[in-house]
Amino acid sequence: MKLETLEDLLISELRDLYSAENQLIKALPKMAKAASSEELKSAFQEHLEQTREQAARLEKVAKQLDITLRGKKCVAMQGLIEEGKEQMSEDMEPDVMDAALIAAAQKVEHYEMAGYGCARTWARQLGHDEAADLLQTTLDEEGETDKRLTDIAESHVNEAAGSAP
Ligand code: FE
Ligand code: FE
Ligand code: FE
């Protein structure tokens, strides 16, 4: 598909985000399982629920714009997840593993924030205000998740990891 307009670019980005969210729906349960901190485990589990809603929200956006979302693979998310998996397969102290999981998850959230931020701005510019509002809702959730992960890291995980043998 040749991208000729900003509308085309928006559609391509929405498909990319949809693929990213669906990949995360598969990855987050594994991250929750690998986490030792109860707080981190529940942060991952709650974000899994949120991620399912975000995928459904994208379907709503697609309906509004009368487009389909299938057919694109977000290779960046594939890479981020692969890198996370590589780390999870290493022999790590549980607290150090938690710190690594937080870092991997924050890389994911930042990628999503960049994608949703651009898509929101393009949608707004193209006059798709309802779509822009939905994308903003997800952008806010990704930002809150990122902040929550920082709080978990700073409140106890990093300290525990720093005193691991
Ligand atoms: Fe998401
Ligand atoms: Fe992507
Ligand atoms: Fe997210």
Side-chain angles (χ1 to χ4, degrees):
M1 173 185 167
K2 191 175 171 195
L3 304 183
E4 287 181 334
T5 63
L6 191 61
E7 186 86 35
D8 294 340
L9 188 62
L10 171 64
I11 295 167
S12 167
E13 184 61 37
L14 292 172
R15 288 180 176 148
D16 190 81
L17 285 165
Y18 190 63
S19 161
E21 298 291 14
N22 281 307
Q23 291 182 59
L24 278 170
I25 289 169
K26 288 190 196 131
L28 278 165
K30 293 172 196 155
M31 294 172 78
K33 212 175 148 197
S36 299
S37 150
E38 283 307 316
E39 216 182 324
L40 184 57
K41 239 184 222 302
S42 39
F44 285 147
Q45 278 156 356
E46 279 159 39
H47 197 53
L48 171 62
E49 284 318 305
Q50 222 166 27
T51 300
R52 290 200 178 103
E53 286 163 24
Q54 291 171 350
R57 201 173 285 133
L58 282 171
E59 286 163 12
K60 213 167 147 185
V61 169
K63 220 169 181 178
Q64 284 175 359
L65 303 183
D66 200 24
I67 56 163
T68 57
L69 291 175
R70 302 260 161 219
K72 191 170 194 268
K73 175 132 202 178
C74 176
V75 289
M77 189 56 71
Q78 190 177 22
L80 287 170
I81 290 172
E82 206 175 288
E83 195 171 285
K85 266 192 195 153
E86 198 181 275
Q87 265 195 323
M88 281 180 354
S89 72
E90 287 195 44
D91 189 21
M92 263 190 244
E93 278 298 320
D95 296 326
V96 177
M97 177 66 84
D98 281 356
L101 287 167
I102 290 174
Q106 286 192 299
K107 286 172 189 168
V108 164
E109 294 313 313
H110 281 238
Y111 178 77
E112 294 185 288
M113 283 155 71
Y116 277 105
C118 291
R120 180 265 338 257
T121 300
W122 297 334
R124 188 81 68 205
Q125 195 184 321
L126 292 163
H128 304 306
D129 279 318
E130 270 179 71
D133 291 344
L134 288 169
L135 295 168
Q136 182 67 54
T137 301
T138 298
L139 179 58
D140 291 342
E141 288 176 358
E142 310 294 22
E144 281 154 22
T145 301
D146 178 53
K147 194 177 171 303
R148 183 173 177 191
L149 290 166
T150 297
D151 289 344
I152 295 172
E154 290 179 351
S155 68
H156 65 282
V157 168
N158 285 354
E159 204 187 312
S163 58

